[in-house]
Amino acid sequence: MSFSLAHALTGLFWLGALLLLGGLARRASLWQQGRSASVSWLGLLAMPKRYFVDIHHVVAREPAVARAHVAAAGGGVAILLLSALNYGLMLYQGWLDVLLVLMAALMLLGARMMQARRLQAPPRLSQGRWQVLPARLRLFALGSLLAAGLLFAGPQLGMAGQLIAVVALLMLALGGAELALGIGLGWPMKHAVAGLLHLAFHPRAERFAAKSSDLKPLNLAAGELGVAKVEDFAWNRLLSFDACVQCGKCEAACPAYAAGQPLNPKKLIQDMVAAQSRGTDPAYAGNPHPGREAAVMVQPGEDIVGSVLAAETLWSCTTCRACVENCPMLIEHVDTVVNLRRHVTLSRGEVPGKGSEALANLRNTDTVGGYPLAVRYHWAIDLDLPLLQPGEQTEWLLLAGEGAFDMRYQRALRALVKVLKAAGVKVAVLGAAERDCGDVARRLGDEAGFQRLAQANIATLAQYRFARIVTPDPHVFHCLANEYPALGGQFEVWHHSKLLEHLLARRAIPLKADATPLPPLTFHDPCYLGRYNDGYHAPRNVLKGIGIKVVEMPRSGRDARCCGWGGGAAFTDIPGQRRIPDMRMDDIRETGTGRVAVACPNCTAMLEGVVGERADVIELAELVAERLA
Amino acid sequence: MKIAVLVAPAVHPVSGRPCAGEADLAALALAQRLSSQVDVWYAGAADDAALADYLARGADNIHSLSLSPGSDVLAALCSVLQGVDMVLCGARAGGGDGSGLLPYQLAEQLGRALLPDVLDLSKSDQQWQALQALPKGVRRTLAAKLPLVASVHARAASAVGWSYARLQQGKIQRKAATGAALPQVVLEPARRARALVAASKVSGHARMQGAIAGGEGKSAGIVVKQGDSVEKAQVVLDYLRQHQLVDF
Ligand code: SF4
Ligand code: SF4
């Protein structure tokens, strides 16, 4: 009997392997709908590092889940490898059976832990097949345990032994079906195969080397106008959607979802899966886009926006990257949102709300608000701020950005200039030669407008001589530092928080000597400084440097909630249940400090725009200026 | 029905750059709503870039009659508009020296009816009905038979958004044309405006008192100090109804 059980296992193994390969071929044909992409096959070699280091960084934030996954997945993979050796290659070694028993026990433990978690599943987790997956995995592990145990026990099996062998085979077949058929039928275990391939052929492979948050330019000359249909995605982008494990961490982090706007990033990714699989995968069993039906109508050949995805979903996104930051499968939601927006904006010209007005202003005046360029530095008229002339030299070039037109933010800009002067920093401005950086245009999908502005700015800046650029606007900072290089503009750009930190560290800013402790406050991280550029420490060090204690909000640093402005969301203004800045003000109120420090003109405007009782909103530079001797 | 839309670059009020004029855009949108046979015409000296906004906002193809700067466009336009059923144009060019005379001159030269300042056009029987915009939100209905000329008010809906793809696909076809010299402009000295004479010489405060105090029976004003907010609101509502300022 033991002989035949071993052979049955060999048969089962190869059957499973064939089914898996067939399923993979079917899924790969779906990915092949996409455009070609330049990927490196070396990614396959880098896969283990990406799995154990990069994914671990994200997963380790939830240690219990991480442990369960290590046990279940580690055990599972070990079982598959050992079975491949012992039964696939028909070695039939007893010592391998011992190892198999151990690994099966490990997997059993992991699956058990997962099942326990599923009993009180947080609402962000998908139900449906995902809910029963741990039980199936347990079945598989138990089957392995029994089969390997029997084989190790010896060739003579009694009646009872034979019965157990049959049961074990049944368990293996049932549980193993989950593993073997997952990729082909779009069942949960699809994530294991697609996830590994996604790591190897990630559409943003540079993120494994260093921080990478820039949007990639479209080749407009070649007729690239964003993604209209599934076929317009790169194939590895389609693959990345299949890696999603529907854990809903993106959903839990998304400010638009929390505000009841019709966007759930998890559902967005699943909508893309539905579009590429033409609705053949099992139905989605998670939370819908708020206020919308969960079911989607997939019409092959139709544009994505307007069929599987409503335009409002797309325009609700603030591009805050909270989803990307939290995704354990390293899926890049923002790239997809912007790629789809590009089609809607560039091809259809359908930007909602005040978005189209902002884009028209940029085209006609090079400013978002439609202001004359000549008035950008009117706030500095009495500050004796040198206007840089072509050919002249300065150490620091200050780009004030769009905040220069806002009377509230002009106070912050004046404070910044005052501090820089007190510190003896040689700083000059461009005056009317400064155009908008193109951030709003790019996030609203107007890639043509962005490239025009970026190229014009790069050409302008080339006429001047300066060592570094400093700006208080994280959007200007991000564009110039991270997105202009792809268009040929290489500049050393500092956010003003970094410059202030640097000056304070060198004791270059003369501070009041009195030791009266200042009241504590809380700090709101701008997305484009924090998650986009890891600029978490500089503003906090500045506050520490002037003797202010920061009371952190629970959602701060990497987990900070967006103010609601980013991605042009303040212009498209898609209605929800609440406003995002109101929710953020609640976070601020909870700290009980009554004051919040900000480091971005747009956060300033959004948080000051909260109606009713609210905390004082103070810019970083204003706080430093208050402490000047 | 063949429609011709006349467009011209406007001057952006802030930057001075050429852009599409609101009224011309509205004319284009209205034409595309009414017919699928729409030809877009421009006559003048502007370069193609100045017309780009119209391509991006829905014109597939612009016929540009190149004239030397400072020439009168009337004759050149009339020569190409003879066989067209309906001519639509903005009520006046956006910015610049637009006199707003062109629609009238066209109608006169082509011998057609003119529907000025229309917000919308609709067909009823054999006629075309126009909703005309008058100052202070007043609306009026006009009607005319084809062929006709209509000038479109800047406030009419212009639905088509700006699209880069349409800008790339759109074409401008230049056609040589001969423009006439502009008619001699006769300048007259401005007549002195008659100084306004106030009807009464009392101060603003006194007049306000007169309007609301009403104690001496001098005016019809009522001061409502009693009652809660609903009752006070009822008095205001009654007043508005009495003077037919609301109709509910
Ligand atoms: S996209 Fe990422 S974070 Fe969101 S549900 Fe899928 S795996 Fe989880
Ligand atoms: S970027 Fe921010 S707003 Fe957009 S989907 Fe992700 S979490 Fe939501």
Side-chain angles (χ1 to χ4, degrees), chain A residues 112-138:
Chain A
R112 176 74 249 168
M113 286 155 81
M114 289 185 158
Q115 209 173 9
R117 176 163 173 263
R118 281 279 166 183
L119 287 180
Q120 295 148 0
R124 62 179 164 84
L125 292 180
S126 284
Q127 299 288 311
R129 282 200 153 264
W130 286 95
Q131 187 68 6
V132 297
L133 176 65
R136 296 286 159 80
L137 294 181
R138 269 182 90 183

PDB file of all heavy atoms in Angstrom, chain A residues 112-138:
ATOM      1  N   ARG A 112      -3.733  27.944  10.735  1.00  0.00           N
ATOM      2  CA  ARG A 112      -4.572  28.035  11.945  1.00  0.00           C
ATOM      3  C   ARG A 112      -4.630  29.501  12.426  1.00  0.00           C
ATOM      4  O   ARG A 112      -5.682  30.045  12.709  1.00  0.00           O
ATOM      5  CB  ARG A 112      -3.914  27.114  12.958  1.00  0.00           C
ATOM      6  CG  ARG A 112      -4.328  26.912  14.353  1.00  0.00           C
ATOM      7  CD  ARG A 112      -5.434  26.195  14.718  1.00  0.00           C
ATOM      8  NE  ARG A 112      -6.253  27.313  15.228  1.00  0.00           N
ATOM      9  CZ  ARG A 112      -7.500  27.250  15.510  1.00  0.00           C
ATOM     10  NH1 ARG A 112      -8.110  26.166  15.304  1.00  0.00           N
ATOM     11  NH2 ARG A 112      -8.159  28.245  15.993  1.00  0.00           N
ATOM     12  N   MET A 113      -3.450  30.128  12.468  1.00  0.00           N
ATOM     13  CA  MET A 113      -3.398  31.527  12.909  1.00  0.00           C
ATOM     14  C   MET A 113      -4.222  32.413  11.973  1.00  0.00           C
ATOM     15  O   MET A 113      -4.935  33.315  12.403  1.00  0.00           O
ATOM     16  CB  MET A 113      -1.941  32.024  12.935  1.00  0.00           C
ATOM     17  CG  MET A 113      -1.120  31.465  14.096  1.00  0.00           C
ATOM     18  SD  MET A 113       0.652  31.443  13.717  1.00  0.00           S
ATOM     19  CE  MET A 113       1.103  33.115  14.056  1.00  0.00           C
ATOM     20  N   MET A 114      -4.123  32.131  10.680  1.00  0.00           N
ATOM     21  CA  MET A 114      -4.876  32.933   9.715  1.00  0.00           C
ATOM     22  C   MET A 114      -6.373  32.727   9.900  1.00  0.00           C
ATOM     23  O   MET A 114      -7.159  33.662   9.817  1.00  0.00           O
ATOM     24  CB  MET A 114      -4.485  32.549   8.298  1.00  0.00           C
ATOM     25  CG  MET A 114      -3.095  33.005   7.955  1.00  0.00           C
ATOM     26  SD  MET A 114      -2.745  32.672   6.243  1.00  0.00           S
ATOM     27  CE  MET A 114      -1.428  33.847   5.994  1.00  0.00           C
ATOM     28  N   GLN A 115      -6.718  31.492  10.168  1.00  0.00           N
ATOM     29  CA  GLN A 115      -8.139  31.193  10.337  1.00  0.00           C
ATOM     30  C   GLN A 115      -8.683  31.919  11.572  1.00  0.00           C
ATOM     31  O   GLN A 115      -9.778  32.474  11.544  1.00  0.00           O
ATOM     32  CB  GLN A 115      -8.332  29.700  10.494  1.00  0.00           C
ATOM     33  CG  GLN A 115      -9.677  29.234   9.996  1.00  0.00           C
ATOM     34  CD  GLN A 115      -9.781  27.728  10.007  1.00  0.00           C
ATOM     35  OE1 GLN A 115      -8.905  27.035  10.538  1.00  0.00           O
ATOM     36  NE2 GLN A 115     -10.837  27.211   9.419  1.00  0.00           N
ATOM     37  N   ALA A 116      -7.866  31.934  12.629  1.00  0.00           N
ATOM     38  CA  ALA A 116      -8.284  32.621  13.844  1.00  0.00           C
ATOM     39  C   ALA A 116      -8.525  34.098  13.550  1.00  0.00           C
ATOM     40  O   ALA A 116      -9.498  34.694  14.003  1.00  0.00           O
ATOM     41  CB  ALA A 116      -7.212  32.461  14.921  1.00  0.00           C
ATOM     42  N   ARG A 117      -7.648  34.696  12.744  1.00  0.00           N
ATOM     43  CA  ARG A 117      -7.795  36.117  12.415  1.00  0.00           C
ATOM     44  C   ARG A 117      -9.059  36.336  11.604  1.00  0.00           C
ATOM     45  O   ARG A 117      -9.745  37.347  11.746  1.00  0.00           O
ATOM     46  CB  ARG A 117      -6.569  36.549  11.620  1.00  0.00           C
ATOM     47  CG  ARG A 117      -6.627  37.971  11.136  1.00  0.00           C
ATOM     48  CD  ARG A 117      -5.230  38.421  10.741  1.00  0.00           C
ATOM     49  NE  ARG A 117      -5.245  39.739  10.117  1.00  0.00           N
ATOM     50  CZ  ARG A 117      -5.246  39.908   8.802  1.00  0.00           C
ATOM     51  NH1 ARG A 117      -5.251  38.873   7.988  1.00  0.00           N
ATOM     52  NH2 ARG A 117      -5.232  41.132   8.304  1.00  0.00           N
ATOM     53  N   ARG A 118      -9.367  35.378  10.759  1.00  0.00           N
ATOM     54  CA  ARG A 118     -10.560  35.512   9.917  1.00  0.00           C
ATOM     55  C   ARG A 118     -11.846  35.499  10.729  1.00  0.00           C
ATOM     56  O   ARG A 118     -12.890  35.917  10.246  1.00  0.00           O
ATOM     57  CB  ARG A 118     -10.583  34.387   8.881  1.00  0.00           C
ATOM     58  CG  ARG A 118      -9.664  34.626   7.711  1.00  0.00           C
ATOM     59  CD  ARG A 118     -10.295  35.553   6.711  1.00  0.00           C
ATOM     60  NE  ARG A 118      -9.328  36.071   5.750  1.00  0.00           N
ATOM     61  CZ  ARG A 118      -9.627  36.949   4.795  1.00  0.00           C
ATOM     62  NH1 ARG A 118     -10.864  37.385   4.669  1.00  0.00           N
ATOM     63  NH2 ARG A 118      -8.711  37.394   3.977  1.00  0.00           N
ATOM     64  N   LEU A 119     -11.750  34.949  11.960  1.00  0.00           N
ATOM     65  CA  LEU A 119     -12.969  34.916  12.778  1.00  0.00           C
ATOM     66  C   LEU A 119     -13.433  36.328  13.109  1.00  0.00           C
ATOM     67  O   LEU A 119     -14.618  36.605  13.178  1.00  0.00           O
ATOM     68  CB  LEU A 119     -12.715  34.127  14.069  1.00  0.00           C
ATOM     69  CG  LEU A 119     -12.600  32.620  13.868  1.00  0.00           C
ATOM     70  CD1 LEU A 119     -12.344  31.920  15.195  1.00  0.00           C
ATOM     71  CD2 LEU A 119     -13.861  32.072  13.200  1.00  0.00           C
ATOM     72  N   GLN A 120     -12.465  37.213  13.359  1.00  0.00           N
ATOM     73  CA  GLN A 120     -12.827  38.622  13.569  1.00  0.00           C
ATOM     74  C   GLN A 120     -12.112  39.442  12.515  1.00  0.00           C
ATOM     75  O   GLN A 120     -11.231  40.234  12.822  1.00  0.00           O
ATOM     76  CB  GLN A 120     -12.400  39.099  14.951  1.00  0.00           C
ATOM     77  CG  GLN A 120     -13.118  38.413  16.068  1.00  0.00           C
ATOM     78  CD  GLN A 120     -12.238  38.297  17.289  1.00  0.00           C
ATOM     79  OE1 GLN A 120     -11.103  38.733  17.296  1.00  0.00           O
ATOM     80  NE2 GLN A 120     -12.780  37.692  18.328  1.00  0.00           N
ATOM     81  N   ALA A 121     -12.487  39.219  11.281  1.00  0.00           N
ATOM     82  CA  ALA A 121     -11.795  39.894  10.189  1.00  0.00           C
ATOM     83  C   ALA A 121     -12.114  41.386  10.224  1.00  0.00           C
ATOM     84  O   ALA A 121     -13.268  41.769  10.337  1.00  0.00           O
ATOM     85  CB  ALA A 121     -12.236  39.305   8.855  1.00  0.00           C
ATOM     86  N   PRO A 122     -11.083  42.255  10.165  1.00  0.00           N
ATOM     87  CA  PRO A 122     -11.371  43.693  10.046  1.00  0.00           C
ATOM     88  C   PRO A 122     -12.122  43.948   8.731  1.00  0.00           C
ATOM     89  O   PRO A 122     -11.933  43.196   7.761  1.00  0.00           O
ATOM     90  CB  PRO A 122      -9.987  44.345  10.038  1.00  0.00           C
ATOM     91  CG  PRO A 122      -9.015  43.262   9.776  1.00  0.00           C
ATOM     92  CD  PRO A 122      -9.649  41.979  10.170  1.00  0.00           C
ATOM     93  N   PRO A 123     -12.978  44.964   8.712  1.00  0.00           N
ATOM     94  CA  PRO A 123     -13.833  45.155   7.526  1.00  0.00           C
ATOM     95  C   PRO A 123     -13.064  45.409   6.242  1.00  0.00           C
ATOM     96  O   PRO A 123     -13.623  45.260   5.166  1.00  0.00           O
ATOM     97  CB  PRO A 123     -14.693  46.369   7.900  1.00  0.00           C
ATOM     98  CG  PRO A 123     -14.032  46.994   9.084  1.00  0.00           C
ATOM     99  CD  PRO A 123     -13.262  45.931   9.766  1.00  0.00           C
ATOM    100  N   ARG A 124     -11.775  45.752   6.350  1.00  0.00           N
ATOM    101  CA  ARG A 124     -11.025  46.024   5.116  1.00  0.00           C
ATOM    102  C   ARG A 124     -10.712  44.752   4.331  1.00  0.00           C
ATOM    103  O   ARG A 124     -10.363  44.804   3.154  1.00  0.00           O
ATOM    104  CB  ARG A 124      -9.745  46.784   5.431  1.00  0.00           C
ATOM    105  CG  ARG A 124      -8.778  46.030   6.317  1.00  0.00           C
ATOM    106  CD  ARG A 124      -7.520  46.847   6.560  1.00  0.00           C
ATOM    107  NE  ARG A 124      -6.731  46.364   7.669  1.00  0.00           N
ATOM    108  CZ  ARG A 124      -5.847  45.374   7.601  1.00  0.00           C
ATOM    109  NH1 ARG A 124      -5.663  44.732   6.470  1.00  0.00           N
ATOM    110  NH2 ARG A 124      -5.166  45.005   8.661  1.00  0.00           N
ATOM    111  N   LEU A 125     -10.789  43.574   5.010  1.00  0.00           N
ATOM    112  CA  LEU A 125     -10.467  42.316   4.319  1.00  0.00           C
ATOM    113  C   LEU A 125     -11.626  41.881   3.430  1.00  0.00           C
ATOM    114  O   LEU A 125     -12.785  42.038   3.782  1.00  0.00           O
ATOM    115  CB  LEU A 125     -10.197  41.215   5.343  1.00  0.00           C
ATOM    116  CG  LEU A 125      -8.937  41.344   6.186  1.00  0.00           C
ATOM    117  CD1 LEU A 125      -8.842  40.164   7.153  1.00  0.00           C
ATOM    118  CD2 LEU A 125      -7.711  41.400   5.309  1.00  0.00           C
ATOM    119  N   SER A 126     -11.280  41.304   2.300  1.00  0.00           N
ATOM    120  CA  SER A 126     -12.324  40.789   1.416  1.00  0.00           C
ATOM    121  C   SER A 126     -12.858  39.474   1.954  1.00  0.00           C
ATOM    122  O   SER A 126     -12.145  38.714   2.604  1.00  0.00           O
ATOM    123  CB  SER A 126     -11.778  40.573   0.009  1.00  0.00           C
ATOM    124  OG  SER A 126     -11.640  41.803  -0.643  1.00  0.00           O
ATOM    125  N   GLN A 127     -14.112  39.213   1.690  1.00  0.00           N
ATOM    126  CA  GLN A 127     -14.726  37.958   2.102  1.00  0.00           C
ATOM    127  C   GLN A 127     -14.637  36.952   0.954  1.00  0.00           C
ATOM    128  O   GLN A 127     -13.607  36.829   0.339  1.00  0.00           O
ATOM    129  CB  GLN A 127     -16.186  38.216   2.489  1.00  0.00           C
ATOM    130  CG  GLN A 127     -16.319  39.188   3.649  1.00  0.00           C
ATOM    131  CD  GLN A 127     -15.879  38.566   4.956  1.00  0.00           C
ATOM    132  OE1 GLN A 127     -16.294  37.469   5.291  1.00  0.00           O
ATOM    133  NE2 GLN A 127     -15.018  39.251   5.681  1.00  0.00           N
ATOM    134  N   GLY A 128     -15.718  36.258   0.683  1.00  0.00           N
ATOM    135  CA  GLY A 128     -15.754  35.337  -0.460  1.00  0.00           C
ATOM    136  C   GLY A 128     -14.717  34.244  -0.318  1.00  0.00           C
ATOM    137  O   GLY A 128     -14.507  33.680   0.755  1.00  0.00           O
ATOM    138  N   ARG A 129     -14.032  33.961  -1.415  1.00  0.00           N
ATOM    139  CA  ARG A 129     -13.044  32.880  -1.419  1.00  0.00           C
ATOM    140  C   ARG A 129     -11.906  33.149  -0.456  1.00  0.00           C
ATOM    141  O   ARG A 129     -11.281  32.234   0.050  1.00  0.00           O
ATOM    142  CB  ARG A 129     -12.478  32.715  -2.830  1.00  0.00           C
ATOM    143  CG  ARG A 129     -13.432  31.966  -3.736  1.00  0.00           C
ATOM    144  CD  ARG A 129     -12.708  31.385  -4.927  1.00  0.00           C
ATOM    145  NE  ARG A 129     -13.420  30.208  -5.406  1.00  0.00           N
ATOM    146  CZ  ARG A 129     -13.098  28.969  -5.067  1.00  0.00           C
ATOM    147  NH1 ARG A 129     -12.095  28.727  -4.263  1.00  0.00           N
ATOM    148  NH2 ARG A 129     -13.795  27.961  -5.540  1.00  0.00           N
ATOM    149  N   TRP A 130     -11.624  34.454  -0.219  1.00  0.00           N
ATOM    150  CA  TRP A 130     -10.523  34.791   0.697  1.00  0.00           C
ATOM    151  C   TRP A 130     -10.844  34.321   2.109  1.00  0.00           C
ATOM    152  O   TRP A 130      -9.956  33.965   2.863  1.00  0.00           O
ATOM    153  CB  TRP A 130     -10.271  36.290   0.692  1.00  0.00           C
ATOM    154  CG  TRP A 130      -9.581  36.740  -0.543  1.00  0.00           C
ATOM    155  CD1 TRP A 130     -10.172  37.227  -1.664  1.00  0.00           C
ATOM    156  CD2 TRP A 130      -8.181  36.710  -0.796  1.00  0.00           C
ATOM    157  NE1 TRP A 130      -9.216  37.515  -2.615  1.00  0.00           N
ATOM    158  CE2 TRP A 130      -7.987  37.204  -2.102  1.00  0.00           C
ATOM    159  CE3 TRP A 130      -7.067  36.313  -0.055  1.00  0.00           C
ATOM    160  CZ2 TRP A 130      -6.719  37.319  -2.687  1.00  0.00           C
ATOM    161  CZ3 TRP A 130      -5.811  36.430  -0.628  1.00  0.00           C
ATOM    162  CH2 TRP A 130      -5.651  36.924  -1.937  1.00  0.00           C
ATOM    163  N   GLN A 131     -12.119  34.349   2.456  1.00  0.00           N
ATOM    164  CA  GLN A 131     -12.516  33.996   3.810  1.00  0.00           C
ATOM    165  C   GLN A 131     -12.277  32.505   4.077  1.00  0.00           C
ATOM    166  O   GLN A 131     -11.941  32.116   5.181  1.00  0.00           O
ATOM    167  CB  GLN A 131     -13.997  34.366   4.007  1.00  0.00           C
ATOM    168  CG  GLN A 131     -14.528  34.215   5.408  1.00  0.00           C
ATOM    169  CD  GLN A 131     -13.915  35.236   6.374  1.00  0.00           C
ATOM    170  OE1 GLN A 131     -13.183  36.125   5.981  1.00  0.00           O
ATOM    171  NE2 GLN A 131     -14.222  35.085   7.651  1.00  0.00           N
ATOM    172  N   VAL A 132     -12.451  31.674   3.057  1.00  0.00           N
ATOM    173  CA  VAL A 132     -12.311  30.224   3.271  1.00  0.00           C
ATOM    174  C   VAL A 132     -10.908  29.708   2.955  1.00  0.00           C
ATOM    175  O   VAL A 132     -10.602  28.543   3.190  1.00  0.00           O
ATOM    176  CB  VAL A 132     -13.344  29.428   2.439  1.00  0.00           C
ATOM    177  CG1 VAL A 132     -14.748  29.777   2.877  1.00  0.00           C
ATOM    178  CG2 VAL A 132     -13.177  29.692   0.953  1.00  0.00           C
ATOM    179  N   LEU A 133     -10.060  30.609   2.451  1.00  0.00           N
ATOM    180  CA  LEU A 133      -8.722  30.163   2.064  1.00  0.00           C
ATOM    181  C   LEU A 133      -7.957  29.494   3.212  1.00  0.00           C
ATOM    182  O   LEU A 133      -7.387  28.404   3.022  1.00  0.00           O
ATOM    183  CB  LEU A 133      -7.923  31.341   1.490  1.00  0.00           C
ATOM    184  CG  LEU A 133      -6.473  31.036   1.123  1.00  0.00           C
ATOM    185  CD1 LEU A 133      -6.404  30.035  -0.015  1.00  0.00           C
ATOM    186  CD2 LEU A 133      -5.717  32.310   0.731  1.00  0.00           C
ATOM    187  N   PRO A 134      -7.926  30.076   4.425  1.00  0.00           N
ATOM    188  CA  PRO A 134      -7.154  29.428   5.503  1.00  0.00           C
ATOM    189  C   PRO A 134      -7.613  27.996   5.762  1.00  0.00           C
ATOM    190  O   PRO A 134      -6.776  27.107   5.971  1.00  0.00           O
ATOM    191  CB  PRO A 134      -7.415  30.324   6.718  1.00  0.00           C
ATOM    192  CG  PRO A 134      -7.769  31.652   6.155  1.00  0.00           C
ATOM    193  CD  PRO A 134      -8.494  31.362   4.879  1.00  0.00           C
ATOM    194  N   ALA A 135      -8.912  27.753   5.688  1.00  0.00           N
ATOM    195  CA  ALA A 135      -9.406  26.393   5.915  1.00  0.00           C
ATOM    196  C   ALA A 135      -8.889  25.445   4.836  1.00  0.00           C
ATOM    197  O   ALA A 135      -8.490  24.305   5.115  1.00  0.00           O
ATOM    198  CB  ALA A 135     -10.932  26.405   5.930  1.00  0.00           C
ATOM    199  N   ARG A 136      -8.863  25.922   3.604  1.00  0.00           N
ATOM    200  CA  ARG A 136      -8.356  25.084   2.509  1.00  0.00           C
ATOM    201  C   ARG A 136      -6.871  24.775   2.705  1.00  0.00           C
ATOM    202  O   ARG A 136      -6.405  23.672   2.448  1.00  0.00           O
ATOM    203  CB  ARG A 136      -8.541  25.794   1.164  1.00  0.00           C
ATOM    204  CG  ARG A 136      -9.965  26.028   0.787  1.00  0.00           C
ATOM    205  CD  ARG A 136     -10.624  24.721   0.348  1.00  0.00           C
ATOM    206  NE  ARG A 136     -12.066  24.820   0.446  1.00  0.00           N
ATOM    207  CZ  ARG A 136     -12.828  25.414  -0.463  1.00  0.00           C
ATOM    208  NH1 ARG A 136     -12.290  25.923  -1.550  1.00  0.00           N
ATOM    209  NH2 ARG A 136     -14.129  25.492  -0.291  1.00  0.00           N
ATOM    210  N   LEU A 137      -6.157  25.800   3.161  1.00  0.00           N
ATOM    211  CA  LEU A 137      -4.722  25.602   3.369  1.00  0.00           C
ATOM    212  C   LEU A 137      -4.489  24.602   4.506  1.00  0.00           C
ATOM    213  O   LEU A 137      -3.566  23.790   4.457  1.00  0.00           O
ATOM    214  CB  LEU A 137      -4.037  26.939   3.670  1.00  0.00           C
ATOM    215  CG  LEU A 137      -4.039  27.934   2.521  1.00  0.00           C
ATOM    216  CD1 LEU A 137      -3.320  29.222   2.917  1.00  0.00           C
ATOM    217  CD2 LEU A 137      -3.373  27.347   1.269  1.00  0.00           C
ATOM    218  N   ARG A 138      -5.341  24.671   5.507  1.00  0.00           N
ATOM    219  CA  ARG A 138      -5.225  23.707   6.606  1.00  0.00           C
ATOM    220  C   ARG A 138      -5.432  22.295   6.107  1.00  0.00           C
ATOM    221  O   ARG A 138      -4.734  21.361   6.494  1.00  0.00           O
ATOM    222  CB  ARG A 138      -6.284  24.001   7.671  1.00  0.00           C
ATOM    223  CG  ARG A 138      -5.803  24.934   8.744  1.00  0.00           C
ATOM    224  CD  ARG A 138      -6.876  25.137   9.752  1.00  0.00           C
ATOM    225  NE  ARG A 138      -6.823  24.171  10.825  1.00  0.00           N
ATOM    226  CZ  ARG A 138      -7.727  24.126  11.801  1.00  0.00           C
ATOM    227  NH1 ARG A 138      -8.750  24.965  11.793  1.00  0.00           N
ATOM    228  NH2 ARG A 138      -7.631  23.246  12.771  1.00  0.00           N
TER     229      ARG A 138
END
